[in-house]
Amino acid sequence: MRLGGSNHSRPTAKRLREKMTPPEIALWLALRKNDAGLRFRKQHPAGAYILDFYCAPAMLAIEVDGQAHAFGDRPERDATRDAWLKAQGVRVLRYTAADVLRHTDSAVRQILAIAIDRRAKLQAARRPPPPSPSAPPPPGGEG
């Protein structure tokens, strides 16, 4: 599924791609060269929001949350954003910036495992079911 950005979020995403935080850079370097062949986009616009990372084939968003996400109205705003993404069929994984820096490899392993699983399930759901062996032949086939 394609998540389009708003007129405001697209230029903001472009600007944020140039100013990634150290935890985002560490995660990006690990995700972009994965062996599963999954493509991740960084600072991807989605509606009015900008996702830190997005894997379209798995409909998976990854957010790296700094300390600010625990204060003020940020938890409520994050919950609203997550609910909107869920309604679009997107699963959101959240990691603290400190965890990404301390445990980059384990975070990447978890992200890739979930992305591979979701991609497989989404691909299977898109395939039409095989024809039933007991189904009658289509009408008009012989005559």
Side-chain angles (χ1 to χ4, degrees), residues 16-123:
L16 288 173
R17 280 183 214 116
E18 298 167 358
K19 297 182 179 188
M20 292 174 66
T21 65
E24 289 171 339
I25 292 169
L27 195 54
W28 172 243
L29 292 174
L31 288 175
R32 73 179 195 166
K33 58 180 179 178
N34 67 81
D35 293 332
L38 289 163
R39 181 171 175 240
F40 288 85
R41 299 174 186 157
K42 61 182 177 176
Q43 305 301 335
H44 181 71
Y49 305 107
I50 299 167
L51 310 176
D52 289 339
F53 302 97
Y54 181 62
C55 179
M59 294 183 67
L60 181 66
I62 298 96
E63 293 296 311
V64 179
D65 295 339
Q67 289 181 339
H69 284 264
F71 299 103
D73 67 344
R74 287 305 291 265
E76 183 180 315
R77 288 172 40 203
D78 287 345
T80 300
R81 165 193 178 121
D82 290 354
W84 182 85
L85 289 165
K86 183 177 180 180
Q88 309 308 307
V90 176
R91 178 167 175 192
V92 179
L93 300 178
R94 289 189 172 278
Y95 296 90
T96 66
D99 281 345
V100 169
L101 285 176
R102 275 189 239 126
H103 310 288
T104 305
D105 290 341
S106 60
V108 169
R109 279 194 302 274
Q110 182 182 39
I111 291 165
L112 292 177
I114 291 169
I116 290 165
D117 183 58
R118 279 187 59 86
R119 176 180 63 181
K121 288 178 180 173
L122 290 168
Q123 287 173 342

